[in-house]
Amino acid sequence: MARLVLNRWIPLLILQSFLLAIAFGSSEVEEEFTESLLLKPLPDRKVLAHFHFENRAPPSNSHGRHHHLFPKAISQLVQKFRVKEMELSFTQGRWNHEHWGGFDPLSSMNAKPVGVELWAVFDVPHSEVDASWKNLTHALSGLFCASINYLESSTSYASPTWGFGTNSDKLRYGSLPREAVCTENLTPWLKLLPCRDKDGISALMNRPSVYRGFYHSQRLRLSMVDSGEEGLGSGMLLEQTLTVVLQPDTVSGEKHLQPSWSLSSLFGRKVVGRCVLAKSSNVYLQMEGFAHPEAHSLWKNAEFELSVKPDRTLRETSSFLHIFDIDKSSDSEPFDLGLTWKLPSKWSCQQAPLHASRFLMGSGNERGAIAILLKAAESQDKLHGRDLTNGGRCTIKANVFQIFPWYVKVYYHTLQIFVDQQQNTSSEVLKKINVSPSTDKMSSGMMEMMLELPCEVKSAAISIEYDKGFLHIDEYPPDANQGFDIPSALISFPDHHASLDFEEEHSTLPLLSKFKDKSLVRSYTEVLLVPLTTPDFSMPYNVITITCTVFALYFGSLLNALRRRIGEEERFLKSKGKKTGGLKQLLSRFTAKIRGRPVESPSSESPEAESPVLSKKLLVKIILVAVAAVAWHYFSTDK
């Protein structure tokens, strides 16, 4: 009896221990998801909206475990292709560094080049990096409904060493400047969120409101987090950001008064609650550049007024950050933050040490030059991070990274550097350079430079000459007459890092902890449009039509001359004339009498009498057709 009872309780004990192990294990590997929105008025009467979503998967020793919040598609990419770090961005429009800022964490991390940009670091042997890159591009292309698979070609990506900012020999970088960004790319991006766009802050992403902006960039960054313990794998951190620059619809009565706005006027929607799966949901409003920052710590003052009272207010050196919790919002009481300006206000955003722009020089379809102009910012004397190690001389370090397609044949020996409109030798300014020449139809060219400019510099220019290559007719895109794109160049300043350090410590808020981390100051230049020698694509059609016409005339005449029987045709016509000859003779005699002419007698010549003449005509036709065929074959054959 005791043995029977024991046999019944043993399975129950095993099941209970298994469930307890799952419960304790799930508490140790809990996943976290946070959402936040940052709103920021800009000096040029626009509003910046920055959506930030962070999804964390803790380290685990299981490779096929189930994810509760972390997107499974991204986890499979990491496991299959051994991705250590990756960033993908879809951008439409160009970031205005002069009016929207260039020396803050937001612009350093989210100001991206036009089109698609992808870079990844792999944790595989060096010989397998290219294969992993190609497989990753195909997987991301299907996941985000984009043409990322075009980056698989060796002519579309490069392998930077130190100029890009991430020092790794397993780094691959590619860019597609002409890729159009639309809702087909945003919808798969939203599907990676636990609540998608149905609830929480992501519900504000109204498609017409997002794509009518002056600038919008959706970014996905994946990084591995080491656990530091043996036996445990690496955790995964997925950051999804959407940066939009919008123009408020409201028009103020005064010209110098900033336009007032609200969430409903910007996006056409209100926040009716947070995502139930999010650990924290916050809305931030950053106000910067005021003459009397003490007065602006209040949400109602002489210059502006907020429609909702902030829960907390943090202060930084030159800005204030108002924090709003949306946990209490609901359908009956939605959250609709609004800002109403009362007095005109003017301020300027923090600028990068040097403002970069790139343009083309020269004319014609044979050769030209690429130039990069670096101009000093107005607030250059207030910059931090100057290098005084060069014999006590103040210098500014700038790294230049740019990719050249194979059809732009760059002559690296023609590199010239001008400082304050005076040419300098390479050894004075150029401290380090790495060049990877391009190979025709095999690989693109790459150039990395480290410049060391004096702090008092006003302008610096870099120019390099190139020749334009020739493409096969099959290599031209459908819109070849528009021109060919050269991806944006990246200018980074290794001695300058942007961060926002508020007085009060709020390490639990992911967005604030992200802004507190020092990020490298960088900026992208314009995309260059190079016109190449383009053939007349109507010529193949013209050649096909004239060739078909000549062949039709040739074979038609030849078959007509060979198969036509003249004697039989004349006998057929004569016999046909005999059947209806009486009526014709009567009519001919009647008309002859009326006109007063003699009656013509029918021809009595036989076909045999005309046969020599007909045979001569047939022979002449055959000779002419043969001569034409020989001449056509002779001139159409490639010698």
Side-chain angles (χ1 to χ4, degrees), residues 268-488:
R269 297 177 180 178
K270 302 177 183 180
V271 180
V272 296
R274 69 180 186 91
C275 177
V276 295
L277 299 175
K279 184 179 179 180
S280 64
S281 300
N282 298 293
V283 175
Y284 305 90
L285 176 62
Q286 185 180 3
M287 311 292 294
E288 62 176 8
F290 294 101
H292 304 285
E294 293 81 5
H296 296 83
S297 60
L298 303 176
W299 61 291
K300 288 185 177 181
N301 51 68
E303 293 194 18
F304 66 87
E305 179 181 351
L306 302 180
S307 61
V308 181
K309 182 179 180 180
D311 298 314
R312 296 183 301 275
T313 301
L314 305 181
R315 179 178 179 181
E316 205 256 344
T317 305
S318 59
S319 64
F320 275 81
L321 189 69
H322 302 285
I323 305 177
F324 304 87
D325 296 331
I326 61 174
D327 296 339
K328 300 179 181 179
S329 59
S330 60
D331 294 333
S332 58
E333 295 181 1
F335 178 80
D336 187 15
L337 175 62
L339 174 63
T340 303
W341 294 92
K342 300 178 180 179
L343 295 177
S345 299
K346 291 184 179 180
W347 70 94
S348 60
C349 297
Q350 295 183 1
Q351 302 293 325
L354 299 172
H355 176 68
S357 60
R358 189 171 62 159
F359 52 90
L360 292 175
M361 298 190 302
S363 60
N365 291 329
E366 185 178 359
R367 60 178 58 90
I370 300 176
I372 298 178
L373 178 62
L374 302 175
K375 296 180 65 176
E378 296 179 359
S379 58
Q380 185 181 6
D381 54 345
K382 299 181 181 180
L383 293 175
H384 302 284
R386 294 178 173 182
D387 185 15
L388 299 175
T389 59
N390 192 3
R393 185 168 60 93
C394 177
T395 59
I396 300 176
K397 290 183 180 179
N399 293 340
V400 180
F401 167 72
Q402 52 183 340
I403 299 177
F404 305 104
W406 67 267
Y407 45 80
V408 177
K409 306 178 186 300
V410 177
Y411 297 108
Y412 296 98
H413 69 279
T414 62
L415 177 65
Q416 294 182 350
I417 301 176
F418 298 87
V419 178
D420 292 336
Q421 301 181 357
Q422 294 184 359
Q423 185 175 358
N424 289 40
T425 59
S426 300
S427 58
E428 296 180 0
V429 179
L430 185 61
K431 299 302 179 182
K432 190 177 181 181
I433 186 171
N434 179 31
V435 170
S436 177
S438 61
T439 305
D440 286 354
K441 303 180 182 181
M442 293 295 294
S443 63
S444 57
M446 180 190 66
M447 183 174 66
E448 300 170 293
M449 295 187 300
M450 178 183 289
L451 305 178
E452 213 172 81
L453 303 171
C455 291
E456 61 274 6
V457 64
K458 298 299 180 183
S459 64
I462 306 169
S463 65
I464 189 169
E465 299 179 4
Y466 67 92
D467 279 352
K468 301 179 182 180
F470 292 92
L471 279 70
H472 192 266
I473 190 172
D474 297 334
E475 298 172 345
Y476 284 93
D479 52 349
N481 292 311
Q482 179 182 351
F484 293 80
D485 296 307
I486 298 181
S488 301

Side-chain angles (χ1 to χ4, degrees), residues 173-192:
Y173 174 87
S175 177
L176 296 174
R178 197 170 292 191
E179 182 71 13
V181 184
C182 60
T183 56
E184 294 180 356
N185 311 122
L186 182 60
T187 302
W189 185 85
L190 289 172
K191 288 183 178 180
L192 299 177

